[in-house]
Amino acid sequence: MDVFSPSDSPLSVAVLVLPGSSMMSVACTIDPMRAANRMAHRTIFDWAVHTLDGESTLLSCGLPLSINSIFGSAAGGNILIVVAGFDSDLHAGKGAVPTIVKAAARYDCVGGVEAGAWLLARGGLLNGLRATTHWEDLEDFTNNHPEIDVIPDRFVVDGKYFTTGGASPTFDLMLHLIRSRHGVAFAMEVASIFIYDEAHTPTDAQMLVSLGHLNTFEPRIADAIRIMESRIDEPISVRAIATEMEMSVRMLENLFLEALSISPGKYYRDLRLQVALKLIVDTKLSVLEIAIRTGFNSLSAFSRSYKNKFGVSPMKSRKHVA
């Protein structure tokens, strides 16, 4: 059964949530189904929330999530959605991947939300397929799974499997599912409940910075930031950015100062340091590897810039959240 084909029949959906998942990712998975049922005045999604041990689970924000039942390999239905977040390998345990792999054969469609893609990949379910995950993990995901065609899209549907880059892309995926089955007008009604303007397509690249209104009131700055994002590991000069945008350095500097009250050079360095902070806090990469990934030519230069920006050394940042 192709769940993305037009149909009025209800779908049974199992949502498997691992500890450490984002509340936003869980909500963006479930709430569009709830809203669709409300707008249709009938059940078009019949979902249940599961954990691997049948107990309520703590989300990344520290709040507990109540669940319906334990998840087992004998489960089955139309769609299985695996939601995972920080330290998914630690939270999953040894039996999680085999359980998911066995269960996947009993579902018409299987999805991985955020780090859920890692669990599907570890079970070999995404081999030879296109897939994505959160932008922070794309490089590691690619290196760990060369058998998968990893792309930086917001969400990817390939065969019976789909993967998403995080909360907002998951919302887009669920609206895509609703639109595919019940039409554009109905999907717009569901989106309107959340006052959500569907401005993204599946193939839109995941952005390090949410550009928001910059795209409208000063698209040239948005374009410059996109260039910076594409060159985090190998930074280019402000002059090179201006040349690529066919404007003078002075004009580019004036645009940034007027709109953001910061020079493009300082914004670029701060952007790289924000990426470094996320890698320090959310990964186990060495400080040297993080320095290389964020375009610093020496560990000392990186540590000095990091401390100037955040007031502490990279290692103290890591110890603070340990």
Side-chain angles (χ1 to χ4, degrees):
M1 174 184 177
D2 181 3
V3 301
F4 290 97
S5 293
S7 174
D8 285 328
S9 61
L11 289 175
S12 62
V13 182
V15 183
L16 173 60
V17 181
L18 270 72
S21 295
S22 160
M23 176 183 283
M24 284 287 288
S25 291
V26 174
C28 286
T29 301
I30 296 173
D31 255 13
M33 295 190 287
R34 175 195 61 79
N37 286 354
R38 172 188 167 193
M39 297 302 295
H41 300 289
R42 62 184 180 87
T43 299
I44 59 177
F45 290 103
D46 181 14
W47 75 87
V49 180
H50 308 271
T51 57
L52 291 165
D53 60 5
E55 302 292 332
S56 63
T57 188
L58 279 181
L59 301 175
S60 60
C61 62
L63 291 177
L65 175 71
S66 298
I67 57 98
N68 297 107
S69 66
I70 191 171
F71 183 80
S73 59
N78 297 123
I79 305 177
L80 167 62
I81 303 176
V82 181
V83 185
F86 295 131
D87 297 324
S88 60
D89 53 342
L90 176 65
H91 292 310
K94 294 182 179 180
V97 171
T99 297
I100 292 170
V101 170
K102 290 179 181 178
R106 300 174 179 268
Y107 287 88
D108 300 313
C109 180
V110 179
V113 168
E114 202 164 330
W118 284 87
L119 299 175
L120 303 187
R122 291 185 191 117
L125 297 174
L126 302 179
N127 289 358
L129 301 178
R130 293 175 296 113
T132 193
T133 189
H134 193 280
W135 65 263
E136 292 179 311
D137 293 334
L138 280 171
E139 184 173 350
D140 289 335
F141 192 63
T142 302
N143 292 336
N144 278 275
H145 297 287
E147 69 281 2
I148 300 172
D149 181 11
V150 182
I151 54 180
D153 291 4
R154 291 176 64 80
F155 68 85
V156 177
V157 180
D158 195 349
K160 69 175 278 185
Y161 295 96
F162 68 80
T163 47
T164 77
S168 178
T170 301
F171 198 100
D172 292 334
L173 179 280
M174 297 307 293
L175 287 177
H176 171 66
L177 173 62
I178 293 167
R179 187 185 308 111
S180 299
R181 294 183 66 80
H182 303 284
V184 173
F186 184 71
M188 290 172 62
E189 292 177 0
V190 173
S192 296
I193 291 179
F194 302 95
I195 319 176
Y196 182 76
D197 184 8
E198 295 181 78
H200 298 288
T201 65
T203 55
D204 284 347
Q206 296 178 40
M207 306 301 295
L208 280 68
V209 177
S210 295
L211 296 174
H213 293 300
L214 271 180
N215 279 311
T216 302
F217 82 82
E218 190 39 83
R220 291 173 294 182
I221 295 181
D223 289 342
I225 292 174
R226 290 189 184 96
I227 293 172
M228 295 174 185
E229 287 183 334
S230 69
R231 300 295 296 271
I232 294 293
D233 57 339
E234 296 181 354
I236 59 177
S237 67
V238 172
R239 181 173 297 280
I241 295 172
T243 299
E244 187 169 336
M245 297 182 64
E246 300 181 346
M247 67 172 61
S248 68
V249 171
R250 182 180 292 276
M251 179 180 290
L252 183 61
E253 289 176 341
N254 288 338
L255 286 172
F256 268 78
L257 289 171
E258 290 174 6
L260 303 179
S261 300
I262 190 173
S263 71
K266 187 174 187 308
Y267 182 92
Y268 197 179
R269 178 170 286 254
D270 285 352
L271 175 63
R272 291 159 52 209
L273 288 169
Q274 288 292 348
V275 172
L277 174 62
K278 291 178 180 178
L279 293 173
I280 288 287
V281 172
D282 297 338
T283 75
K284 295 180 176 62
L285 293 172
S286 70
V287 175
L288 177 59
E289 175 65 22
I290 292 171
I292 294 171
R293 290 194 182 194
T294 51
F296 289 89
N297 55 19
S298 73
L299 183 57
S300 61
F302 169 68
S303 297
R304 184 168 56 251
S305 295
Y306 189 97
K307 187 171 184 178
N308 288 339
K309 171 68 175 174
F310 301 113
V312 295
S313 69
M315 288 309 299
K316 283 189 177 179
S317 284
R318 178 163 282 173
K319 290 177 181 178
H320 179 70
V321 298

